[in-house]
């Protein structure tokens, strides 16, 4: 037997049971897909550059990444050491990730005013993800980017790529021109329902390009403010889905709220329920209390989970956001605010752990039960 | 059970109401299509005078932009937070477990000489 030499020392597997990680950022920058674009856009890029809105004001870590994700040779970590080898040795293997849902690394096209260009970039990126990532490791599943700027083009892309077995959801940035419940977007949801794909809203591009400002009070100066504003944007999307009647029109549609935190949802649902009691007759197509729609149609990923001052409060907040039914673990690897599956949560009871670290995601993305050697039942 | 005189039936024409005091309680008497209903004039939520709220219909919908009016005049919306209650049952529309008390109302026809019927609420 040949002894293979590994550049990166293998981390010992520490997770006894395998997990599903719902937010793994893989290296998929638009710069990698130029050759896959139509000639017209290649010519434009040669003449005028990428003409995409720039990144957010600031970030944490080293250009947004964990310090240990900087390559040993010190080369530029932009885009992350999200390469396949790094992902496997530093994350998938040590944390026993049974499935990782890939969420890309460049969302700039989500803020572009040119819907045709955005759609071309999305198609090329989706093909790139399948060719260079999901087809090379069966643990990896992809998210299909769409040009939400033009819902008909977006639906076309969902119809093109949505039935590929490695594409498990549709993904957009939370930065938008209108909140996502608006009827403008409904062709996207028709396509999601057609292909039985969840619609994932991942934070990014708020306040950039064509998208509205990052807060209702205007533009913020520093990155902590920007992070603090993310739940505001997600709140607007969540209320919009409910009160525009999206879940009545598309009862099987599932929406995932990603990376805006989770515990803000509790008082927000209390508020929505209270207001629905008072204002039911203004939107009579909303048949159930908003919290009921949340439970049936919305899922939230955990990272970056808020840190209540005591374990007792943490458990209460988990209950208040229906975590057993609605929360799915994610790490945000390799970003600097990575949540370790080992230490981020206080000790959870076994059933709750199982729902959050595996089963809720397996149900949503229709992934198999964990294999028997991973502590599961599937042979 | 005591009965309290509400007044003459003619004081509460169809679609209207009258609020009376009976045994220290405030009670709203509604006339819905010739039938009388009495509600405790207190919202179980935060204690507003429920019957001083807007008398409304039950608005339903098949989807955004579509509005249908059902059960004309059978709901009262609390004056403070606009919670809707079914006047006939006292139950809140969105959460029927939340309810205000209802009472029986009878019509007595003894004052026929002036063709006036007297309403009694039974508390």
């Amino acid at each position: 037997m040949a002894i293979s030499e590994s550049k990166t020392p293998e981390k010992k597997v520490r997770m006894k049971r395998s997990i599903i990680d719902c937010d793994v950022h893989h290296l998929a920058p638009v710069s990698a897909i130029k050759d896959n674009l139509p000639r017209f856009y290649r010519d434009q890029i040669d003449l005028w550059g990428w003409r995409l809105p720039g990144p957010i004001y600031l970030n944490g870590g080293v250009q947004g990444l964990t310090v240990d994700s900087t390559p040993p040779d010190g080369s530029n970590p932009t885009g992350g050491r999200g390469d396949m080898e790094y992902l496997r040795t530093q994350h998938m293997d040590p944390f026993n990730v049974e499935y990782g849902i890939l969420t890309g690394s460049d969302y700039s096209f989500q803020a572009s005013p040119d819907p045709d260009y955005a759609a071309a970039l999305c198609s090329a990126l989706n093909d790139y993800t399948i060719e260079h990532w999901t087809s090379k490791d069966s643990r990896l599943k992809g998210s299909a980017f769409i040009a939400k700027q033009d819902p008909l083009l977006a639906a076309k892309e969902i119809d093109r790529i949505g039935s590929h077995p490695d594409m498990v959801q549709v993904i957009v940035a939370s930065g938008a021109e209108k909140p996502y419940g608006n009827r403008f977007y409904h062709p996207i949801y028709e396509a999601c329902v057609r292909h039985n794909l969840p619609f994932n809203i991942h934070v990014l591009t708020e306040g950039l390009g064509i998208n509205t400002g990052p807060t209702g009070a205007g533009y913020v100066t520093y990155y902590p403010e920007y992070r603090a504003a993310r739940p505001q944007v997600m709140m607007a999307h969540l209320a919009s889905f409910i009160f525009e009647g999206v879940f009545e029109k598309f009862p099987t549609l599932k929406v995932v709220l990603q990376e805006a935190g989770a515990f803000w949802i509790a008082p927000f649902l209390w508020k929505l329920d209270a207001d629905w009691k008072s204002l039911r007759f203004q939107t009579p197509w909303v048949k159930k209390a908003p919290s009921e729609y949340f439970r049936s149609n919305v899922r939230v990923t955990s990272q970056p989970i808020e840190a209540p001052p005591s374990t007792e409060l943490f458990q209460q907040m988990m209950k208040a956001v229906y975590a057993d039914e609605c929360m799915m673990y994610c790490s945000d690897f390799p970003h600097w605010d990575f949540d370790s599956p080992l230490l981020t949560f206080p000790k959870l009871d076994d059933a709750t752990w199982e729902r959050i670290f595996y089963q809720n995601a397996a149900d949503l993305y229709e992934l198999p039960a964990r294999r028997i050697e991973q502590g599961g039942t599937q042979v | 059970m005591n009965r309290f005189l509400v007044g003459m039936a003619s004081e509460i024409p169809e679609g209207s109401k009258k609020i009376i005091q009976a045994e220290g309680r405030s009670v709203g008497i509604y006339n819905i299509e010739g039938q009388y209903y009495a509600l405790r004039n207190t919202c179980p939520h935060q204690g507003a005078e429920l019957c001083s709220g807007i008398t409304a219909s039950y608005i339903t919908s098949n989807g955004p932009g579509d509005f249908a009016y059902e059960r004309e005049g059978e709901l009262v919306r609390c004056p403070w937070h606009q919670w809707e209650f079914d006047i006939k049952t006292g139950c809140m529309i969105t959460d029927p477990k939340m309810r205000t008390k209802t009472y029986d109302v009878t019509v007595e026809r003894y004052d026929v000489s002036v063709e006036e019927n007297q309403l009694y609420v039974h508390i």
Side-chain angles (χ1 to χ4, degrees), chain B residues 11 26 39 41 60 70 85 91 99 116:
Chain B
E11 289 174 56
S26 182
L39 280 187
N41 186 19
T60 63
E70 295 174 9
F85 290 84
C91 292
R99 60 193 301 175
E116 283 277 37

Side-chain angles (χ1 to χ4, degrees), chain A residues 70-116:
Chain A
T70 303
D73 63 5
S75 59
N76 190 327
T78 304
R81 280 299 304 277
D83 64 62
M84 183 67 89
E85 183 59 16
Y86 184 77
L87 174 60
R88 282 175 179 153
T89 56
Q90 300 301 305
H91 187 62
M92 301 291 283
D93 297 340
F95 290 116
N96 204 356
V97 178
E98 181 106 20
Y99 292 104
I101 313 297
L102 301 176
T103 47
S105 53
D106 184 342
Y107 288 42
S108 55
F109 48 87
Q110 292 278 298
S112 166
D114 182 341
D116 295 309

